[in-house]
Amino acid sequence: MRPYAALSLIFLLVAPDAARAQVAVADSGDTAWMMLCALLMFAAALPGLMLRHAGQVNVRNALSVMAQGAGVAAVASIGWAIAGYSLVYAPGSEWLGGGGNLLLANLGQLRDGLTVPESAFVLFQLAAVLVAACLLVGGVAERTRIGWFLPFTLLWLLLVYVPVAHAVWAGGWLAGLGVMDFAGGLVVHMVAGFSVLALVLIVGPRREPSGGGHSMVLSMAGSALVWIGLSGLVGGWALGATDDAATALLNHHLAACAAALTWALLDRLLSARSSASGILSGALAGIAAIAASAALVGTGGAMLIGVIAALASRIAAAIVGRRVDDGAGIFLIHGVGGATGALLLPVFALPLFGGVGFDADVHFSSALIYQAIGVLIVALWAMVGSAIAALIVSIIIPMRVDAPMEAAGLDAAQHGQQGWDFR
């Protein structure tokens, strides 16, 4: 299926239209598949990202970063149910959805044009929200207040994630421009990555960097869960248990493998040894990159996208890693990786590289230009919107903990508990 035709079909299916007749009965296989993909993403966010981030911080902050992840997931879930879903997918304008599904009211027995209940579609979209929101925690860990993070999450959801998701996934203005994103390279990975960049620049570096974290075992276990769990994002956006879903899963895994090996090789060349954590960092960069095109490119194209994304992210880490205190590498892995994959989509969608090709009236040069414009707009929107949300909340609740609390560790200072008891 050609990229524009495939994505147009997705927009047709997810954009509500009261005049379009619904399928009479839900397909149990497609419904089970979408719910399974949602649960895989829940596992990626909780516990995958919680474990990954906990292992990458000082032992005195492991519990606090997991608590922040759980709190952020709770707030994002409530915000999505109250207003987020409606503002993305209910009938509205090209800029924002309407209020027809506030508090998840008026959900159809089937999502218009799909073979699954609308409740299953809501669940799947919620899981994507949680992945994006929980990624934010790792970038500014060990120095932000949980009391600040929770209201920030709600404001970030409404100011950043919702407008971008509507513009790209719900047939909004970026989709009308020709911007393509099959499964979250822009909406999930880039939004999270560039949001973290803005937050890191605002909050500043840690006073005492953790030096790679206290437990690479925890970090790698969490990263492996994320690797597996994010397969639900690309598989679910096929909107059913179809060949497109299988293709997306295959490309997801192969891009991750190619990126993992590339990152390990670069580590070997640049620092004389291949770090264990670098293998998983490379895999996640490849996953971020392939999300935009998982069902639109061939096997070879998917692996090349993974290789290029690992190169871009690893080089970016060498250049800006010391200047930007992003302990979990959210910007470098998900921001840079997602942007790289989105820019490469028009190239590797060409039949020359095994892709599905373009419609006859779509020129490669215009597709590439519009995609680049979309990447730039999403990056700027995420950074500016996140900065605005952060500063608004900071007027009431300070973003950063004070120096003594940071030195003592946030586990004891904020929660009165500790992550590990060695007595």
Side-chain angles (χ1 to χ4, degrees):
M1 187 179 291
R2 298 182 184 279
Y4 277 89
L7 293 169
S8 297
L9 176 60
I10 290 174
F11 298 144
L12 176 66
L13 295 176
V14 301
D17 182 356
R20 185 166 59 245
Q22 291 187 332
V23 180
V25 180
D27 183 284
S28 59
D30 289 345
T31 302
W33 174 249
M34 185 162 283
M35 291 191 295
L36 173 61
C37 288
L39 292 175
L40 283 170
M41 283 193 284
F42 277 112
L46 302 166
L49 288 174
M50 290 172 64
L51 288 171
R52 173 172 166 79
H53 296 160
Q56 292 174 323
V57 299
N58 187 286
V59 68
R60 299 188 301 272
N61 296 309
L63 188 64
S64 70
V65 79
M66 296 186 82
Q68 285 186 354
V72 163
V75 170
S77 298
I78 297 297
W80 183 251
I82 293 174
Y85 176 77
S86 185
L87 294 175
V88 174
Y89 288 109
S93 69
E94 64 178 4
W95 295 94
L96 204 61
N101 297 124
L102 293 176
L103 287 170
L104 300 182
N106 306 313
L107 296 183
Q109 291 186 351
L110 293 175
R111 175 68 187 178
D112 288 345
L114 297 184
T115 58
V116 300
E118 190 166 10
S119 57
F121 185 73
V122 172
L123 180 68
F124 174 74
Q125 295 297 327
L126 168 60
V129 171
L130 295 190
V131 171
C134 289
L135 282 170
L136 304 178
V137 174
V140 289
E142 302 189 275
R143 55 206 190 270
T144 50
R145 298 176 185 269
I146 189 171
W148 172 88
F149 227 128
L150 300 187
F152 164 79
T153 300
L154 181 60
L155 203 54
W156 172 85
L157 176 69
L158 298 175
L159 291 181
V160 179
Y161 186 91
V162 161
V164 174
H166 178 78
V168 177
W169 276 347
W173 65 282
L174 285 178
L177 188 65
V179 177
M180 298 175 284
D181 182 12
F182 177 76
L186 292 170
V187 176
V188 175
H189 296 283
M190 265 197 69
V191 162
F194 282 89
S195 293
V196 162
L197 177 60
L199 296 180
V200 167
L201 295 176
I202 291 172
V203 74
R206 290 166 289 184
R207 293 180 175 91
E208 296 181 10
S210 59
H214 81 282
S215 176
M216 283 299 100
V217 172
L218 281 183
S219 178
M220 291 190 70
S223 300
L225 277 172
V226 176
W227 183 339
I228 297 169
L230 286 182
S231 62
L233 183 59
V234 298
W237 258 116
L239 304 174
T242 64
D243 179 64
D244 283 344
T247 298
L249 290 176
L250 187 62
N251 286 341
H252 164 92
H253 182 66
L254 293 176
C257 292
L261 295 175
T262 301
W263 193 296
L265 177 60
L266 288 171
D267 274 352
R268 176 71 176 173
L269 294 175
L270 297 175
S271 58
R273 63 183 66 183
S274 299
S275 67
S277 60
I279 296 173
L280 272 299
S281 294
L284 295 183
I287 287 168
I290 197 58
S293 60
L296 308 176
V297 299
T299 300
M303 290 189 283
L304 286 173
I305 287 173
V307 169
I308 296 170
L311 285 168
S313 297
R314 184 62 179 84
I315 291 171
I319 296 174
V320 304
R322 296 182 181 275
R323 299 178 177 86
V324 178
D325 187 8
D326 171 12
I330 306 301
F331 166 66
L332 297 171
I333 293 171
H334 298 273
V336 175
T340 302
L343 290 172
L344 292 174
L345 189 162
V347 176
F348 289 101
L350 293 171
L352 175 65
F353 296 103
V356 295
F358 295 96
D359 289 339
D361 58 344
V362 176
H363 298 287
F364 168 74
S365 58
S366 62
L368 192 60
I369 291 171
Y370 290 137
Q371 195 73 356
I373 292 172
V375 167
L376 179 61
I377 290 173
V378 169
L380 291 175
W381 192 293
M383 292 187 67
V384 173
S386 297
I388 292 172
L391 295 175
I392 288 175
V393 176
S394 296
I395 294 173
I396 303 172
I397 304 172
M399 181 179 184
R400 184 162 187 153
V401 300
D402 55 34
M405 187 181 295
E406 188 174 342
L410 303 189
D411 289 2
Q414 290 198 324
H415 304 288
Q417 297 173 304
Q418 58 188 28
W420 303 100
D421 188 348
F422 296 106
R423 291 176 299 176

